Amino acid sequence: NLDTDLRQELIRIQKELFILGADLSNPTDGTVNRITEDMIENLEQKIDDFDTQLEPLSNFILPGGDITASHIHMTRTIVRRAESFTILASQTEKISENCIKYLNRLSDYLFVIARIINKRKGIKDVLWESQKR
């Protein structure tokens, strides 16, 4: 079960993804940004807020832990792929730059959310260690 604050956060993100979908499926001439700077700044603020609750990272971590955190990590990789496809589409279509920024920040946001879930469940990050030969 997700804590109420995280559940509300993810519901808000789902609503914003519908707005993003509208931007991508029906682009404007650039005068209307359905994905706003405020939405992007809100993601950045939430990343900063949640990050203060976590141990600083000096290594990469392996995705995993609690099943919900693992699902969030998988979602993060899907968002990264969506970001790549959106950048590619922007080469031939009019795509709001805010859509690309939002997807970029969303993947970072999801990374922090997955770490928060694991921390609240008492699951430590598993550090990735290079296989030096």
Side-chain angles (χ1 to χ4, degrees):
N1 288 337
L2 274 178
D3 293 339
T4 302
D5 64 329
L6 297 180
R7 182 179 308 282
Q8 292 304 317
E9 279 294 306
L10 293 176
I11 289 170
R12 179 182 58 79
I13 294 299
Q14 286 180 312
K15 291 176 182 178
E16 289 178 355
L17 286 172
F18 272 90
I19 296 167
L20 181 102
D23 257 1
L24 295 176
S25 66
N26 188 16
T28 67
D29 61 2
T31 59
V32 176
N33 288 310
R34 294 179 194 103
I35 293 294
T36 65
E37 289 288 335
D38 285 344
M39 290 175 178
I40 297 164
E41 289 170 13
N42 186 46
L43 283 176
E44 291 171 347
Q45 184 61 52
K46 293 292 184 180
I47 291 167
D48 292 344
D49 291 347
F50 283 124
D51 210 34
T52 63
Q53 301 173 41
L54 297 166
E55 294 294 321
L57 286 178
S58 57
N59 292 50
F60 292 112
I61 67 166
L62 297 176
D66 177 75
I67 189 71
T68 303
S70 296
H71 287 149
I72 297 291
H73 278 297
M74 287 177 31
T75 303
R76 179 176 59 90
T77 64
I78 294 166
V79 169
R80 280 283 188 219
R81 188 176 334 131
E83 178 188 7
S84 295
F85 284 133
T86 303
I87 291 168
L88 184 62
S90 72
Q91 295 174 0
T92 57
E93 302 293 328
K94 288 184 179 180
I95 304 272
S96 166
E97 190 173 308
N98 283 354
C99 288
I100 296 168
K101 287 180 187 176
Y102 183 88
L103 288 168
N104 178 271
R105 302 317 299 146
L106 179 59
S107 63
D108 292 342
Y109 170 89
L110 292 171
F111 177 77
V112 171
I113 291 292
R115 289 189 68 214
I116 285 287
I117 291 168
N118 281 334
K119 179 181 180 192
R120 290 181 183 180
K121 299 273 183 166
I123 300 169
K124 293 187 181 223
D125 291 324
V126 177
L127 300 180
W128 174 80
E129 295 178 19
S130 172
Q131 300 292 327
K132 295 181 181 179
R133 296 177 188 221

